[in-house]
């Protein structure tokens, strides 16, 4: 099972990826857990995390943080996506960079990918303007309801 989260709204994508990680951790409390950072990941560590089978309990939950910055790890995962899907382990990938090509490969292999787009400045300004209008209306109505003594 593969889950891939990325996008410009890195706070939202990170929050959803971590929630997915915690959900699986609660569901499989005796599962082996790996939290790997792509910058420091070696091929041997990656192979161990991917192919390791626990002696007792369900499979493992492996969280990859910034895997795409490591070309060796990215190459290994890209070549073995079909075997990762069939694996009993849960793989969760999080990237804050653009990862459209990797997302397409994950979806093609049978995994789940979700992009988080940042809100544009125009939308944020529109929200602020709407809130200011709402405040002005509430303020005007509040003045009428006051009783002067």
């Amino acid at each position: 099972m593969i889950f891939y989260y990325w996008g410009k709204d890195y706070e939202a994508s990170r929050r959803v990826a971590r929630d997915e990680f915690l959900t699986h951790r609660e569901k499989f409390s005796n599962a082996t857990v790996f939290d790997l950072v792509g910058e420091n990941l070696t091929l041997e560590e990656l192979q161990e995390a991917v192919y390791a089978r626990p002696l007792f309990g369900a499979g493992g939950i492996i969280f990859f943080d910034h895997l795409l910055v490591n070309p060796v790890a990215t190459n290994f995962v890209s070549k073995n996506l079909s075997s990762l899907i069939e694996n009993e382990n849960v793989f969760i990938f999080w990237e804050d960079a653009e990862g459209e090509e990797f997302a397409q490969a994950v979806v093609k292999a049978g995994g789940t990918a979700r992009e988080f787009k940042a809100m544009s400045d125009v939308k944020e300004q529109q929200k602020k303007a709407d809130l200011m209008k709402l405040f002005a209306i509430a303020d005007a109505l509040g003045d009428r309801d006051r009783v002067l003594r």
Side-chain angles (χ1 to χ4, degrees), residues 6-79:
W6 88 101
K8 291 183 179 178
D9 190 357
Y10 61 89
E11 291 175 2
S13 63
R14 175 91 173 168
R15 183 174 49 254
V16 171
R18 279 292 173 188
D19 288 345
E20 187 75 41
F21 176 75
L22 293 174
T23 301
H24 285 287
R25 196 167 181 185
E26 289 173 7
K27 187 175 179 183
F28 306 107
S29 59
N30 58 350
T32 306
V33 176
F34 292 98
D35 195 347
L36 304 172
V37 178
E39 298 165 346
N40 304 327
L41 189 62
T42 65
L43 184 60
E44 291 79 23
E45 291 172 335
L46 180 62
Q47 289 173 338
E48 179 183 346
V50 168
Y51 297 120
R53 302 264 189 238
L55 186 58
F56 301 106
I61 303 166
I62 299 121
F63 186 87
F64 292 103
D65 188 348
H66 290 98
L67 181 78
L68 296 181
V69 299
N70 188 336
V72 174
T74 304
N75 188 25
F76 175 79
V77 170
S78 297
K79 287 183 179 179

Side-chain angles (χ1 to χ4, degrees), residues 62-145:
I62 299 121
F63 186 87
F64 292 103
D65 188 348
H66 290 98
L67 181 78
L68 296 181
V69 299
N70 188 336
V72 174
T74 304
N75 188 25
F76 175 79
V77 170
S78 297
K79 287 183 179 179
N80 296 303
L81 277 175
S82 59
S83 63
L84 295 180
I85 290 288
E86 296 168 359
N87 199 322
E88 64 185 28
N89 296 331
V90 176
F91 299 95
I92 303 169
F93 296 90
W94 176 73
E95 298 288 333
D96 60 358
E98 295 298 319
E100 187 68 34
E101 292 176 17
F102 189 70
Q104 290 174 355
V106 167
V107 170
K108 184 177 179 182
T112 303
R114 183 172 169 197
E115 180 179 11
F116 291 82
K117 297 181 180 179
M119 287 184 56
S120 67
D121 293 338
V122 175
K123 287 183 180 180
E124 288 181 23
Q125 290 175 356
Q126 183 64 33
K127 274 186 159 181
K128 288 179 184 178
D130 291 343
L131 286 174
M132 290 303 294
K133 289 177 188 176
L134 181 62
F135 177 78
I137 292 170
D139 189 42
L141 291 175
D143 284 341
R144 289 186 196 156
D145 291 340

